[in-house]
Amino acid sequence: MDAAAAKPSRIAVIGGGISGLAAAFRLQELAPKTEIVLYEAGERLGGVLETQQQGDYLVEQSADNFITNVPWGLDLCRRLGIEGDLLQTNDALRKAYVVCRGKLIEVPEGFLLMAPGKAWPILRSPILSWGGKLRLAWEYFVPSRKETSDECLHDFVVRRLGSEAYDRLVQPLIGGIYTADPKKLSVAATMKQFVEMERKHGGLIRGMRKRIASEGKSDGGARYSMFVAPRGGMSAVVDAITARLPSESIRLNAPVRSIDRQEDGPWIVTTDHGAETFDGVVVAAPAPAASQIMQSFDAPLASEVAKIQYAGCAIVLLGVRKEQIARPIAGFGFVVPEVENRRILATSFASYKFPGRAPDDSVLIRTFVGGACHPEMNELPEEELRKIVTEELADLIGLSGEPQLFAVRRWSAQMPQYHVGHLELVERIEQLTAKHAGLALVGNAYHGVGVPLCIRTAEQAVERLVEQLALGQVER
């Protein structure tokens, strides 16, 4: 259908995080005559994505980059005209470390989250004992699992690689991504590629060999070469989308209380300021909020959405002079295994990754505390968190003295937990959603927590909505 033939239409987007913003922008691209109203409960757009200038430091409050081995983040940046502002990570420091018996040891080259790509770096590494190395090598002979039911990440890894590889390598690496309990986490929902390796190739070592042969080279240990960030921080993506949307379409401090729909009639979105009617609704709010606003409209759907659980963490931000670090590492950061019995999850040296994050003589450090396994840590007083983090960093990297910058950012119940059965739960949610023409659910609660996956699922949902409602389309 030509854009000129587009019928007048209104679409509500509920939630102004990256998913809601990507949905609104894609809707504007595909159906430019459609009136968009974006409701955001808070006072700013971007959700957890937020960049702040704190003194001489450029500080990310959550994600500080996005991965490029999937195209959707890069593609959005191209369409927004900000691709030229994307920074590659520092080539010289593209390494990750893991705490091993109180020392920082480099993650073996070629070890991709839970799959060994190269034998020699693992054999040389002191992270695993010889017994652990032999058990990992035995993965080549471990038979494939015959059952097709979902399996938790812990059981999958222990079954294939052994307990020591799980404890010392996989648990901290995965924990750094999901801040989750691997004994509850669905491997099919979070690490599907490794499940497919087992099913298709018979195991992870076999699968990695096939992958390396097809690509002609191995992936680096933490794949940092595939991460980028805007020069001005992740808020640059938020600002670029916001600038492309009509200012009158954005409603801040406007929490949606409910959505409803009369039979074959318009959608009704109710806020504290009254009710408005729409041809379609994109719900991009976190699952708990989405469940609440759909409760009166479709209780079974709301009940299923409410089953998605969340966890949180606290990020302790420190700006220090380089001379305050007695034992600096040549890498972007380190992760901490549970078996080390420490009080932090991971530490990232943000100014090692990208330029412009700290003065030349200083380092911006982000340390993560809490997570699903230690929720009590998330809410500790700021001074106690400061004491914990500085003590841990003093022991691990020789940090001393007072920081130039200290701040704590708490993200309570912001990370969806893809527990065993998540894929089946999402399928039920989508079946119930499909009964309602003009309704779409998007966000990190369903198909992936990374920025590119949020963008992709939001854009796909909008494309389906545009076709479903026969809105005027332009070139895709």
Side-chain angles (χ1 to χ4, degrees):
M1 182 184 296
D2 188 87
K7 66 176 183 179
S9 56
R10 300 184 83 218
I11 302 293
V13 178
I14 302 172
I18 187 61
S19 296
L21 288 168
F25 181 60
R26 188 61 177 149
L27 182 60
Q28 180 177 267
E29 288 182 309
L30 294 177
K33 291 192 175 183
T34 294
E35 180 186 353
I36 303 166
V37 178
L38 190 156
Y39 295 95
E40 167 53 41
E43 61 184 15
R44 49 169 290 275
L45 297 175
V48 299
L49 295 184
E50 182 181 4
T51 311
Q52 293 183 359
Q53 186 72 47
Q54 299 186 19
D56 294 328
Y57 294 89
L58 188 70
V59 182
E60 297 287 6
Q61 304 298 302
S62 62
D64 62 356
N65 55 51
F66 64 88
I67 198 166
T68 63
N69 66 339
V70 290
W72 310 294
L74 279 177
D75 182 59
L76 176 61
C77 288
R78 290 190 190 103
R79 286 154 39 218
L80 290 169
I82 62 172
E83 183 187 10
D85 289 333
L86 295 179
L87 300 173
Q88 293 276 345
T89 49
N90 184 346
D91 280 332
L93 297 175
R94 284 178 182 161
K95 296 177 183 178
Y97 289 73
V98 62
V99 179
C100 180
R101 300 169 186 87
K103 298 184 181 298
L104 294 179
I105 306 297
E106 186 178 341
V107 175
E109 182 185 358
F111 194 91
L112 178 60
L113 293 177
M114 66 170 73
K118 296 181 179 180
W120 183 239
I122 294 173
L123 291 174
R124 288 190 309 172
S125 174
I127 293 175
L128 300 181
S129 68
W130 279 107
K133 293 171 183 176
L134 289 172
R135 174 59 184 85
L136 187 149
W138 186 254
E139 193 274 342
Y140 190 87
F141 304 101
V142 173
S144 298
R145 182 172 180 254
K146 302 304 179 185
E147 296 178 48
T148 57
S149 59
D150 203 357
E151 186 177 18
C152 75
L153 188 139
H154 167 272
D155 291 356
F156 177 88
V157 176
V158 171
R159 177 171 57 80
R160 295 226 59 90
L161 301 177
S163 296
E164 190 176 349
Y166 166 81
D167 288 337
R168 290 289 173 186
L169 284 170
V170 179
Q171 179 274 318
L173 290 170
I174 300 300
I177 298 173
Y178 288 97
T179 63
D181 182 353
K183 293 183 179 179
K184 297 180 180 179
L185 207 61
S186 163
V187 68
T190 58
M191 296 289 155
K192 181 181 178 181
Q193 66 270 37
F194 299 108
V195 177
E196 292 176 345
M197 276 187 188
E198 180 182 38
R199 291 177 181 169
K200 184 175 180 180
H201 302 294
L204 304 182
I205 294 176
R206 296 173 190 268
M208 284 298 290
R209 285 184 174 181
K210 293 285 187 181
R211 177 173 176 166
I212 292 168
S214 64
E215 293 180 353
K217 61 180 180 178
S218 173
D219 295 295
R223 298 180 68 92
Y224 280 114
S225 61
M226 293 192 175
F227 289 96
V228 298
R231 187 177 305 277
M234 294 297 287
S235 282
V237 180
V238 175
D239 295 342
I241 297 176
T242 304
R244 299 286 287 272
L245 298 175
S247 59
E248 65 272 14
S249 70
I250 298 171
R251 311 270 179 89
L252 298 178
N253 298 307
V256 171
R257 302 305 179 190
S258 67
I259 61 172
D260 206 344
R261 190 189 189 196
Q262 300 174 348
E263 187 175 352
D264 296 326
W267 288 90
I268 302 169
V269 175
T270 302
T271 69
D272 292 341
H273 302 290
E276 295 186 74
T277 59
F278 295 90
D279 298 284
V281 177
V282 178
V283 179
S291 174
Q292 288 182 2
I293 66 177
M294 295 189 297
Q295 183 62 45
S296 60
F297 158 64
D298 188 332
L301 173 57
S303 176
E304 293 292 334
V305 172
K307 292 177 182 178
I308 299 174
Q309 298 181 38
Y310 280 67
C313 73
I315 306 176
V316 178
L317 304 159
L318 298 176
V320 302
R321 298 184 308 278
K322 289 180 179 178
E323 64 191 38
Q324 291 178 253
I325 302 176
R327 300 188 301 278
I329 62 170
F332 292 155
F334 60 85
V335 293
V336 183
E338 280 286 314
V339 293
E340 289 288 315
N341 293 315
R342 289 188 173 268
R343 297 167 291 172
I344 61 176
L345 300 174
T347 288
S348 169
F349 300 99
S351 53
Y352 289 1
K353 294 181 186 179
F354 301 107
R357 271 50 181 171
D360 291 343
D361 63 348
S362 301
V363 182
L364 177 59
I365 305 173
R366 304 198 314 155
T367 296
F368 298 79
V369 175
C373 294
H374 302 283
E376 72 285 354
M377 299 284 289
N378 300 345
E379 305 304 327
L380 290 176
E382 286 194 3
E383 281 306 311
E384 190 167 349
L385 286 172
R386 174 176 177 156
K387 181 175 183 291
I388 287 170
V389 169
T390 53
E391 287 178 352
E392 293 285 351
L393 295 182
D395 186 48
L396 292 169
I397 62 172
L399 179 66
S400 63
E402 291 296 313
Q404 298 171 323
L405 166 74
F406 166 72
V408 174
R409 189 59 184 263
R410 303 179 198 273
W411 294 110
S412 298
Q414 291 292 326
M415 178 65 79
Q417 304 293 282
Y418 291 6
H419 287 167
V420 170
H422 180 79
L423 295 179
E424 292 79 6
L425 173 58
V426 171
E427 185 176 358
R428 294 195 301 272
I429 289 170
E430 292 181 337
Q431 288 173 351
L432 290 169
T433 303
K435 295 180 180 179
H436 307 293
L439 176 65
L441 302 186
V442 303
N444 65 358
Y446 309 105
H447 291 290
V449 298
V451 169
L453 286 172
C454 289
I455 293 168
R456 179 200 188 199
T457 53
E459 292 183 345
Q460 287 179 329
V462 164
E463 289 164 6
R464 291 191 296 268
L465 198 65
V466 166
E467 292 180 358
Q468 189 180 71
L469 298 179
L471 304 179
Q473 295 187 45
V474 296
E475 183 180 348
R476 291 201 173 196

